[in-house]
């Protein structure tokens, strides 16, 4: 089974993906590293990839395998399950600030989390989308929640967060 873990940068994809791969005994694939290794896209500081080319290559290399694929473009791949991780936009802001992201990039990503950009894209691309809020949870708790949703056969679970309620708290991060 191919499980894609997607979400806004800083939401916890890499942490959760590695743990989930360990728990399931699946191969862990970092999508950015995979694209670079395969020479897909261009590295202009940030990696710019053609998602169709990425999806085509990924399917050729991983179809029928058991993998956890970690990346914010994961929902563009042909995956059996797409997990969209969510976190309070303030956490995204704090984590990206700690990572030394430029103000502009922090604002862009806080805003993307606030208005559900990746969730909406994932729903356009995939049948089986599971949204998981990581806020106030440990990575282990998040992994347990994902496993439970998958094992109980839940087909779709979305609409579980509404960050419009916390808009005021994240204004300092936004590019207004
Ligand atoms: P991404 O790959 O989405 O950019 P990372 O996994 O690299 O995110 O970073 C997420 C950060 O948030 C890590 O420092 C991690 O320890 C922390 N974190 C705190 N709580 C959680 C949680 N419940 N799930 C995932 N990460 C968490
Ligand atoms: Mg990551």
């Amino acid at each position: 089974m191919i499980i894609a873990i997607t979400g806004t940068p800083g939401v916890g994809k890499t942490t959760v993906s590695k743990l989930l791969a360990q728990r399931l005994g699946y191969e862990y694939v970092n999508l950015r590293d995979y694209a670079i290794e395969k020479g897909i896209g261009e590295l202009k500081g940030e990696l710019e990839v053609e998602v169709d080319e990425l999806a085509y290559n990924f399917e050729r290399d991983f179809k029928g395998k058991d993998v956890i694929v970690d990346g914010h473009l994961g929902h563009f791949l042909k995956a059996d399950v797409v997990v969209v991780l969510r976190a309070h936009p303030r956490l995204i802001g704090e984590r990206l600030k700690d990572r030394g992201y430029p103000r502009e990039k922090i604002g862009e990503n806080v805003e993307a989390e606030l208005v559900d950009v990746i969730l909406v894209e994932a729903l356009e691309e995939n049948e089986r989308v599971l949204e998981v809020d990581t806020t106030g949870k440990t990575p282990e708790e998040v992994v347990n929640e994902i496993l439970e949703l998958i094992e109980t056969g839940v087909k779709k679970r979305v609409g579980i967060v509404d960050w419009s309620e916390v808009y005021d708290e994240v204004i300092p991060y936004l590019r207004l």
Side-chain angles (χ1 to χ4, degrees):
M1 176 155 75
I2 295 174
I3 304 174
I5 309 291
T6 188
T8 310
V11 79
K13 296 181 296 297
T14 300
T15 309
V16 166
S17 296
K18 287 185 172 167
L19 201 59
L20 184 61
Q22 256 178 29
R23 286 279 296 273
L24 287 170
Y26 279 24
E27 183 179 350
Y28 165 84
V29 177
N30 181 290
L31 199 50
R32 179 188 159 87
D33 293 346
Y34 169 76
I36 293 170
E37 189 190 308
K38 294 283 165 175
I40 303 162
E42 267 181 86
L43 256 183
K44 304 174 183 167
E46 228 169 293
L47 182 69
E48 290 183 13
V49 299
E50 184 64 58
V51 290
D52 290 344
E53 189 189 355
L54 183 66
Y56 175 83
N57 280 270
F58 188 87
E59 188 176 8
R60 185 199 57 213
D61 291 344
F62 292 102
K63 191 176 180 178
K65 294 188 178 164
D66 287 330
V67 290
I68 305 297
V69 52
D70 160 21
H72 71 288
L73 297 175
H75 51 287
F76 292 109
L77 305 174
K78 200 174 258 181
D80 299 289
V81 184
V82 174
V83 176
V84 181
L85 297 183
R86 306 302 304 269
H88 190 305
R90 193 187 57 235
L91 292 175
I92 302 290
E94 284 167 4
R95 288 174 189 159
L96 298 183
K97 194 173 163 202
D98 289 345
R99 276 185 203 174
Y101 270 44
R103 231 189 120 78
E104 170 97 6
K105 274 276 146 208
I106 297 173
E108 211 173 273
N109 287 305
V110 168
E111 194 173 290
E113 180 61 25
L114 193 64
V115 301
D116 312 326
V117 168
I118 296 215
L119 175 67
V120 171
E121 285 177 3
L123 286 168
E124 283 168 2
E125 300 287 332
N126 293 275
E127 285 292 310
R128 196 172 182 199
V129 177
L130 304 174
E131 191 184 17
V132 176
D133 186 13
T134 66
T135 312
K137 296 172 189 163
T138 65
E140 288 77 13
E141 286 171 333
V142 171
V143 166
N144 287 339
E145 193 172 324
I146 294 170
L147 287 170
E148 166 128 13
L149 288 165
I150 292 174
E151 283 161 8
T152 56
V154 175
K155 283 272 165 281
K156 194 169 277 180
R157 206 270 298 258
V158 296
I160 58 161
V161 299
D162 178 3
W163 300 140
S164 67
E165 292 165 2
V166 300
Y167 181 77
D168 289 352
E169 294 176 51
V170 295
I171 288 173
Y173 288 110
L174 300 175
R175 309 157 297 159
L176 299 172

